[in-house]
């Protein structure tokens, strides 16, 4: 290889590195941010120092609160939402959501009762028969965050209502009652057909740390390759 070819190859490597290295560093930093965020959620999930017992307390909580809660009340009869596209162990299903009304208030709050398996026929919704519901619901409460959907979330006219996301504003229009932008994920299933293995309960911040190490390792390897190639090109240039 001539001296000119070596310099030309080194310039192309420099250009390639200038484009790829910032991307690798960004991905590593992004994984570190995700690990830090999940560490906060993990600690909040296992923090039992605060227990919310009244719907009125929710107005004083921050947007990122994830707290233990225990509410008394009843679920609005025959008013169910089925959160679509929820999978467990590779099986398609729904998360069943009811609307809690407290004995002394008019506000409603979504209560996620757990996951249930979907029928292979998408036109058939699962039959919801929960004859014995408790009058106290315990679990973790968190604010409902806006969610991205690939298509319009079309709602049917009747119940149960199959939805892609929990949209409290649309629920308020449908029910003509205030719906709080919070959801309670119950700790224990109220029926044997429901599963309450919430993803937040098994967060693994270490996984994102591992990904970050991989991206930073790739960035370091690229820098070492660049240094070695540059030194080799300089040595060949000096020999010629």
């Amino acid at each position: 290889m001539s001296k000119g070819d070596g310099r030309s190859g080194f310039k192309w490597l420099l250009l390639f590195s200038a484009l790829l290295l910032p991307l690798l560093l960004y991905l590593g930093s992004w994984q570190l941010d995700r690990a830090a965020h999940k560490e906060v959620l993990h600690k909040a999930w296992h923090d039992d120092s605060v227990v919310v017992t009244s719907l009125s307390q929710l107005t004083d909580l921050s947007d990122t609160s994830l707290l233990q809660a225990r509410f008394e009340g009843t679920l609005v009869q025959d008013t169910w939402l089925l959160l679509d596209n929820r999978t467990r162990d590779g099986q398609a299903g729904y998360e069943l959501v009811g609307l809690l009304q407290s004995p002394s208030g008019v506000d409603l709050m979504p209560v996620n009762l757990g996951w249930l398996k979907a029928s292979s026929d998408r036109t058939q919704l699962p039959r919801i028969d929960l004859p014995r519901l408790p009058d106290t619901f315990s679990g973790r409460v968190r604010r409902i965050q806006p969610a991205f959907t690939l298509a319009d979330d079309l709602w049917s006219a009747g119940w149960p209502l199959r939805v892609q996301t929990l949209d409290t504003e649309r629920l308020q229009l449908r029910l003509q009652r205030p719906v709080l932008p919070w959801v309670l994920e119950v700790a224990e299933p109220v029926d044997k057909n429901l599963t309450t293995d919430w993803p937040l309960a098994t967060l693994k911040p270490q996984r994102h740390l591992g990904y970050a190490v991989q991206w930073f390792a790739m960035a370091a390897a690229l820098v070492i390759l660049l240094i070695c190639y540059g030194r080799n090109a300089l040595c060949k240039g000096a020999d010629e």
Side-chain angles (χ1 to χ4, degrees), residues 115-160:
W115 180 88
L116 70 163
K117 185 179 178 181
S119 169
S120 57
D121 184 357
R122 288 282 297 172
T123 63
Q124 292 185 357
L125 296 179
R127 181 182 177 184
I128 302 170
D129 185 14
L130 304 176
R132 294 184 178 180
L133 286 173
D135 54 12
T136 300
F137 298 87
S138 301
R140 300 286 171 176
V141 64
R142 62 181 176 86
R143 182 176 284 274
I144 298 172
Q145 300 294 338
F148 173 76
T149 57
L150 295 175
D152 293 336
D153 193 2
L154 301 178
W155 288 14
S156 62
W159 303 92

Side-chain angles (χ1 to χ4, degrees), residues 68-231:
Q68 184 179 7
R70 184 174 61 254
F71 298 121
E72 292 184 358
T74 57
L75 298 181
V76 180
Q77 188 174 7
D78 298 327
T79 304
W80 305 106
L81 293 95
L82 293 168
L83 281 176
D84 201 2
N85 298 318
R86 289 349 192 235
T87 60
R88 294 292 189 279
D89 299 325
Q91 291 186 318
Y94 306 96
E95 288 178 5
L96 179 63
V97 178
L99 296 168
L100 179 71
Q101 52 186 359
S102 65
S104 58
V106 296
D107 292 342
L108 301 175
M109 191 187 70
V111 177
N112 196 327
L113 299 173
W115 180 88
L116 70 163
K117 185 179 178 181
S119 169
S120 57
D121 184 357
R122 288 282 297 172
T123 63
Q124 292 185 357
L125 296 179
R127 181 182 177 184
I128 302 170
D129 185 14
L130 304 176
R132 294 184 178 180
L133 286 173
D135 54 12
T136 300
F137 298 87
S138 301
R140 300 286 171 176
V141 64
R142 62 181 176 86
R143 182 176 284 274
I144 298 172
Q145 300 294 338
F148 173 76
T149 57
L150 295 175
D152 293 336
D153 193 2
L154 301 178
W155 288 14
S156 62
W159 303 92
L161 190 60
R162 179 162 54 191
V163 300
Q164 302 298 319
T165 62
L166 286 177
D167 189 332
T168 54
E169 292 183 0
R170 291 179 69 178
L171 278 174
Q172 289 181 147
L173 293 175
R174 172 69 67 95
L175 298 168
Q176 295 299 304
R177 290 183 64 178
V179 179
L180 298 172
W182 294 82
V183 59
L184 174 70
E185 296 174 340
V186 298
E188 298 293 336
V190 297
D191 186 84
K192 63 180 182 179
N193 294 319
L194 294 168
T195 303
T196 56
D197 55 340
W198 307 113
L200 281 177
T202 57
L203 284 176
K204 300 295 183 184
Q206 295 81 2
R207 183 181 64 178
H208 294 287
L209 290 175
Y211 290 154
V213 170
Q214 291 179 10
W215 290 120
F216 287 134
M218 293 175 65
L222 181 60
V223 171
I224 294 173
L225 176 63
L226 183 63
I227 293 173
C228 293
Y229 191 95
R231 292 181 62 181

